[in-house]
Amino acid sequence: AQSVTQLDSQVPVFEEAPVELRCNYSSSVSVYLFWYVQYPNQGLQLLLKYLSGSTLVKGINGFEAEFNKSQTSFHLRKPSVHISDTAEYFCAVSDLRDAGGTSYGKLTFGQGTILTVHP
Amino acid sequence: EAGVTQFPSHSVIEKGQTVTLRCDPISGHDNLYWYRRVMGKEIKFLLHFVKESKQDESGMPNNRFLAERTGGTYSTLKVQPAELEDSGVYFCASSQVNELSYTFGSGTRLTVV
């Protein structure tokens, strides 16, 4: 079974400061890792994903995340945040499943981290 | 391209009533997923369709929930009869075959009173 722990439920930060949102996962198989963001009154939007290759993954809006297999972590970082980054962020893990000859991923989400950027 | 569309965006119903949520995936996406977030909890998987076939419904809470996907296009999720604990945000997502990352809809916020 897979699980995801987001270590901070809320992160307040001032504009232009750096931020790190922490995510740890557990899984018995190879995993694929994602960060999604939900802006107020909107759906979930993919920020970035790690499937294979380089452990440093760059996403949209200046965010990046580093996959650390030994520490089973996938922390999200941004060097300088903006007011518009205020949102809820979700870390998720997926394994690869077979469905009649095709593959799909079933996401397991963390509890979410509310990032609030203050002026 | 149009995104994943969910109807309605909000629904308030009384305990014991029936509610039907609808999801229109991105055209050409064979994979369709339903997820739910109950207040204060994490987002959890409900079920997965490949075209019109249910591939995995391990997350469906009980038999009050019925999901269908007509002709492999849009999907509906019916809750009958609704209970207070069914309140939450129901997300739909879709993806192409063999694609691991999804496109999510904006969700339907269901409140059962």
Side-chain angles (χ1 to χ4, degrees), chain A residues 61-108:
Chain A
N61 301 337
F63 284 93
E64 63 181 32
E66 185 154 21
F67 169 56
N68 187 319
K69 188 174 182 179
S70 62
Q71 297 187 6
T72 61
S73 68
F74 191 55
H75 301 333
L76 181 70
R77 301 185 182 100
K78 186 169 182 178
S80 176
V81 294
H82 303 288
I83 297 287
S84 59
D85 292 323
T86 294
E88 189 163 17
Y89 292 77
F90 297 92
C91 181
V93 63
S94 175
D95 58 4
L96 193 62
R97 295 171 181 241
D98 178 69
T102 66
S103 300
Y104 74 99
K106 178 177 175 179
L107 292 172
T108 300

Side-chain angles (χ1 to χ4, degrees), chain A residues 20-39:
Chain A
E20 178 180 81
L21 306 183
R22 298 178 293 168
C23 172
N24 286 96
Y25 71 92
S26 67
S27 176
S28 57
V29 297
S30 296
V31 296
Y32 307 93
L33 296 157
F34 305 83
W35 276 97
Y36 284 88
V37 59
Q38 186 178 24
Y39 298 105

Side-chain angles (χ1 to χ4, degrees), chain B residues 60-71:
Chain B
M60 294 288 264
N62 51 61
N63 59 11
R64 294 186 293 103
F65 289 75
L66 175 64
E68 295 180 324
R69 189 176 182 192
T70 305

Side-chain angles (χ1 to χ4, degrees), chain A residues 1-72:
Chain A
Q2 301 174 104
S3 67
V4 177
T5 302
Q6 291 183 240
L7 296 156
D8 306 292
S9 59
Q10 296 192 54
V11 173
V13 65
F14 286 108
E15 195 173 18
E16 297 184 7
V19 70
E20 178 180 81
L21 306 183
R22 298 178 293 168
C23 172
N24 286 96
Y25 71 92
S26 67
S27 176
S28 57
V29 297
S30 296
V31 296
Y32 307 93
L33 296 157
F34 305 83
W35 276 97
Y36 284 88
V37 59
Q38 186 178 24
Y39 298 105
N41 301 315
Q42 295 186 30
L44 294 164
Q45 181 180 357
L46 180 66
L47 264 183
L48 50 79
K49 59 187 176 185
Y50 172 77
L51 302 181
S52 64
S54 173
T55 56
L56 183 62
V57 180
K58 293 189 183 298
I60 61 171
N61 301 337
F63 284 93
E64 63 181 32
E66 185 154 21
F67 169 56
N68 187 319
K69 188 174 182 179
S70 62
Q71 297 187 6
T72 61

Side-chain angles (χ1 to χ4, degrees), chain B residues 69-84:
Chain B
R69 189 176 182 192
T70 305
T73 56
Y74 69 91
S75 175
T76 57
L77 180 64
K78 180 189 290 188
V79 185
Q80 179 181 28
E83 298 289 345
L84 298 178

Side-chain angles (χ1 to χ4, degrees), chain A residues 49 88 103 105-107 111, chain B residues 35 37 56 58 98 101-102:
Chain A
K49 59 187 176 185
E88 189 163 17
S103 300
K106 178 177 175 179
L107 292 172
Q111 300 90 330
Chain B
Y35 284 78
R37 189 182 194 194
D56 182 349
S58 60
N98 295 328
S101 57
Y102 320 157

